[in-house]
Amino acid sequence: MSAQTLLEMKNIRKQFPGVLALDDVSLDVKSGEVHALLGENGAGKSTLIKVLGGIYIPEEGEILIQGRKVHITNVHDSQACGVSVIHQELVLVPKMTVAENIFLGREPMKHGVVHKEKMNEQTTELLKNFDLDISPDSLIEELTIAQQQMVEITKALSFNSRILVMDEPTSSLSDKEVSFLFDTIRKLKQQGVGIIYISHRMSELNEISDRVTVMRDGEYIGTVVTEETGNDTLISMMVGRQLTNYYTRTFMEKKEKVLEVKNLSDGKLLKNISFDLHKGEILGFAGLVGAGRSEVMKCLFGLDPVTEGEFYLDGKAIQIHNPSDAMNHGFALVPESRKEEALFLAQSVKFNTSIKVLSDFIKGIFVNNSKEDEIADTYIQKMSIKTPSSRQIVENLSGGNQQKVVIGRWLATQPRILILDEPTRGVDVGAKAEIYAIMNELALQGIAIIMISSELPEVINMSDRVMVMCNGTITGSLSHEEMDQEKIMYLATQHDTDTREELND
Ligand code: ADP
Ligand code: MG
């Protein structure tokens, strides 16, 4: 006999202004099952879960719990149906204690007041399940993000729900915490709890899930048994095509030199950085975190002061004292942390793509409103930015689309030298492939690209040459034909021998 079906969500539809987030999506969960929900950023996973959790009301569709139709119109309805949700965004109250957060709205009472001792005792008991070294009296804001997440999970478990939903629960957990979580999930399975588990990580899905439902662009794609399904199949269901040409790159003969950097030092980390850059090439910068790659680019772009060194553009010496100088010479920089440094999250796509954002840097550029619309629309199309309109707020876009907005804005300045710092970090696989195709296209148009990347497959597949850095110096360079992971890693860790030599001096 097959296990009892605990939950059925049928033909759910949810529309946001301009985005159909769920289009006829269905999902069912059995007792003792871990059902994974897989899809790229923006696929609609969290929205589906918020419908189940009573946060959004769908326009169409129905929810059945153990065969009976239910109406979930708020969080309490959802809890009353035996559903507990750990949302992707933490929802704990920072200024309250761990115990107060876990028992919020259902505090144990004595003589009409909250029975603090009892609440703390019960909290300690609950935290024990996880071997957590957290006091029930600690304020949430005093905890690390991982600890907060464990409190959130503990809270969800404390409801003794039949259905438990976890929306990307492991994103900030250590390996040890993940294995605790998985042990707990296995225990809950044995007790007959049904679990919906959202994650991007293939290895986790393979380890913990029984079935996988794949969503794409708000649509239901299919449900498969994990054991019988290969990762290739899951990925192609997720992105809607085979990823045979994941990396797009047309390698060409070396063209003329655009930029030469000679003996650059910053008086702090960087020492004697020299390299040249040619038209239409992608020059990779590899190295471990802290090697100084981003620092080199900041110097190049006039963001950080240089103590020594020369820059030559088309063979002529140039001075770069600030970003405005750099931009006037045709440089563009897409920084590593787009959220902090590059985007106005609460503003529209139009605002973010427009060069008005950059006019603080470039003097003498005047952009009127209709010109701005035109630019925004051009780059939304060119970069295939997935947004209902140029008026959409950038924060609502997926990571990949946010990155495309930043790149698109810079293309509007028609740069000759485009510096990309970790261009695909935090971007899902489909958007990654699109960003590679865009980089290739730009190189074909003759733009010289510098790409800092910590992903070696990306460096190896996309770069004409790679400069490898360690501890503020360039330890070597490799051509496309020469490079492989081992050689790059060897150069990236050269600093041990360097220090030894220095010590011997
Ligand atoms: P996922 O969790 O799979 O990454 P989401 O469910 O968060 O995806 O988002 C699905 C789509 O709905 C995205 O296009 C997103 O931009 C949009 N969306 C999500 N929440 C809102 C909202 N509150 N208002 C408008 N659009 C939203
Ligand atoms: Mg989500």
Side-chain angles (χ1 to χ4, degrees):
M1 206 191 82
S2 67
Q4 185 199 12
T5 299
L6 291 178
L7 167 74
E8 289 161 89
M9 296 182 80
K10 288 183 174 169
N11 313 105
I12 307 287
R13 177 192 162 92
K14 175 70 198 165
Q15 172 97 49
F16 290 117
V19 184
L20 185 52
L22 298 174
D23 181 9
D24 202 14
V25 175
S26 300
L27 178 75
D28 71 276
V29 180
K30 293 184 181 123
S31 171
E33 172 185 45
V34 176
H35 195 138
L37 194 52
L38 181 68
E40 294 186 80
N41 283 324
K45 306 177 300 286
S46 296
T47 305
L48 185 67
I49 289 327
K50 285 178 182 167
V51 166
L52 180 62
I55 292 174
Y56 296 143
I57 317 256
E59 288 90 47
E60 279 172 42
E62 53 181 25
I63 300 177
L64 286 78
I65 302 274
Q66 290 175 288
R68 269 190 304 138
K69 191 168 167 171
V70 294
H71 291 279
I72 297 179
T73 54
N74 57 44
V75 179
H76 286 290
D77 289 348
S78 174
Q79 281 169 354
C81 288
V83 176
S84 220
V85 183
I86 301 160
H87 290 288
Q88 193 168 6
E89 314 82 31
L90 299 178
V91 292
L92 299 171
V93 186
K95 295 261 182 244
M96 284 168 53
T97 68
V98 171
E100 285 164 348
N101 266 281
I102 290 180
F103 286 95
L104 188 64
R106 48 176 183 137
E107 296 85 355
M109 306 295 276
K110 192 178 172 187
H111 309 310
V113 292
V114 173
H115 192 343
K116 253 201 147 142
E117 291 79 42
K118 192 167 172 200
M119 194 165 82
N120 282 354
E121 240 168 60
Q122 290 182 349
T123 303
T124 308
E125 201 54 38
L126 288 167
L127 291 170
K128 253 195 208 151
N129 289 328
F130 272 126
D131 250 358
L132 287 180
D133 189 21
I134 300 175
S135 151
D137 272 328
S138 308
L139 294 180
I140 292 298
E141 64 185 6
E142 292 166 351
L143 305 180
T144 65
I145 297 289
Q147 287 174 322
Q148 292 182 22
Q149 200 148 12
M150 297 312 277
V151 172
E152 187 92 69
I153 293 166
T154 304
K155 178 174 178 174
L157 295 176
S158 73
F159 287 93
N160 293 318
S161 308
R162 293 299 308 277
I163 299 159
L164 180 67
V165 185
M166 303 186 179
D167 194 349
E168 311 217 12
T170 57
S171 49
S172 53
L173 300 187
S174 70
D175 289 349
K176 188 169 152 238
E177 289 159 332
V178 171
S179 81
F180 268 129
L181 179 66
F182 282 6
D183 287 344
T184 313
I185 291 178
R186 289 190 191 101
K187 270 185 225 151
L188 294 169
K189 263 175 75 113
Q190 271 164 12
Q191 295 163 18
V193 175
I195 295 154
I196 301 176
Y197 187 88
I198 302 182
S199 174
H200 280 297
R201 301 181 187 171
M202 289 294 169
S203 57
E204 287 186 355
L205 300 191
N206 290 327
E207 184 178 345
I208 202 78
S209 77
D210 301 294
R211 288 191 296 162
V212 182
T213 285
V214 183
M215 293 179 63
R216 188 199 323 142
D217 293 337
E219 288 176 33
Y220 171 85
I221 303 301
T223 302
V224 294
V225 174
T226 314
E227 243 180 27
E228 300 166 355
T229 314
N231 285 354
D232 299 355
T233 309
L234 288 176
I235 290 175
S236 65
M237 285 170 81
M238 185 162 76
V239 301
R241 68 194 124 77
Q242 297 290 343
L243 284 179
T244 43
N245 44 6
Y246 186 50
Y247 298 105
T248 312
R249 192 67 225 282
T250 323
F251 289 97
M252 296 172 298
E253 289 286 298
K254 210 175 211 175
K255 296 206 177 103
E256 65 264 31
K257 194 189 284 180
V258 182
L259 176 73
E260 185 164 1
V261 173
K262 275 190 186 165
N263 300 321
L264 170 73
S265 300
D266 67 354
K268 289 178 283 184
L269 177 64
L270 304 177
K271 293 175 288 285
N272 285 320
I273 303 289
S274 298
F275 64 93
D276 52 23
L277 179 68
H278 296 250
K279 210 176 152 181
E281 83 169 336
I282 297 180
L283 180 63
F285 266 77
L288 303 175
V289 171
R293 297 168 296 163
S294 298
E295 283 75 8
V296 171
M297 303 314 151
K298 284 185 176 160
C299 287
L300 254 185
F301 202 67
L303 286 164
D304 282 352
V306 167
T307 50
E308 247 176 274
E310 292 141 47
F311 302 134
Y312 297 88
L313 189 68
D314 304 320
K316 277 187 244 103
I318 56 164
Q319 301 285 328
I320 299 174
H321 298 296
N322 49 50
S324 166
D325 289 345
M327 291 174 64
N328 287 326
H329 286 302
F331 288 72
L333 171 70
V334 177
E336 186 177 359
S337 46
R338 59 180 171 268
K339 287 212 168 119
E340 291 78 35
E341 295 177 53
L343 283 171
F344 297 80
L345 285 174
Q347 295 275 6
S348 66
V349 174
K350 171 176 155 179
F351 182 87
N352 273 282
T353 35
S354 91
I355 38 182
K356 236 186 206 170
V357 175
L358 305 174
S359 60
D360 284 353
F361 295 134
I362 318 177
K363 291 189 190 80
I365 286 190
F366 174 75
V367 189
N368 64 23
N369 215 355
S370 67
K371 178 84 183 152
E372 204 184 348
D373 276 331
E374 191 188 308
I375 293 171
D377 289 337
T378 308
Y379 287 99
I380 285 171
Q381 212 187 7
K382 260 200 187 157
M383 311 286 293
S384 49
I385 296 170
K386 282 194 200 111
T387 176
S389 85
S390 64
R391 284 178 299 279
Q392 174 72 296
I393 303 303
V394 159
E395 197 165 19
N396 290 340
L397 301 185
S398 68
N401 283 299
Q402 289 183 358
Q403 184 67 298
K404 289 194 260 174
V405 168
V406 181
I407 299 174
R409 172 211 301 166
W410 280 108
L411 295 184
T413 69
Q414 300 181 317
R416 298 183 60 204
I417 296 164
L418 176 62
I419 305 169
L420 303 169
D421 196 346
E422 303 282 4
T424 65
R425 177 170 290 169
V427 165
D428 55 54
V429 277
K432 258 187 174 175
E434 284 175 26
I435 289 173
Y436 297 139
I438 289 164
M439 286 169 65
N440 188 53
E441 184 57 36
L442 296 173
L444 286 173
Q445 288 168 20
I447 296 179
I449 298 176
I450 295 177
M451 173 184 71
I452 297 184
S453 170
S454 297
E455 268 188 50
L456 291 181
E458 174 171 289
V459 170
I460 292 167
N461 284 284
M462 293 303 292
S463 317
D464 294 83
R465 290 182 297 143
V466 62
M467 313 300 298
V468 188
M469 288 189 66
C470 182
N471 203 24
T473 61
I474 290 180
T475 47
S477 77
L478 300 164
S479 69
H480 180 69
E481 292 72 31
E482 290 168 327
M483 61 178 91
D484 62 33
Q485 301 219 10
E486 267 178 24
K487 283 185 200 140
I488 295 176
M489 281 318 291
Y490 174 77
L491 291 170
T493 50
Q494 273 307 287
H495 102 286
D496 288 338
T497 43
D498 273 10
T499 4
R500 245 175 276 137
E501 276 163 19
E502 275 171 27
L503 289 177
N504 290 341
D505 275 359

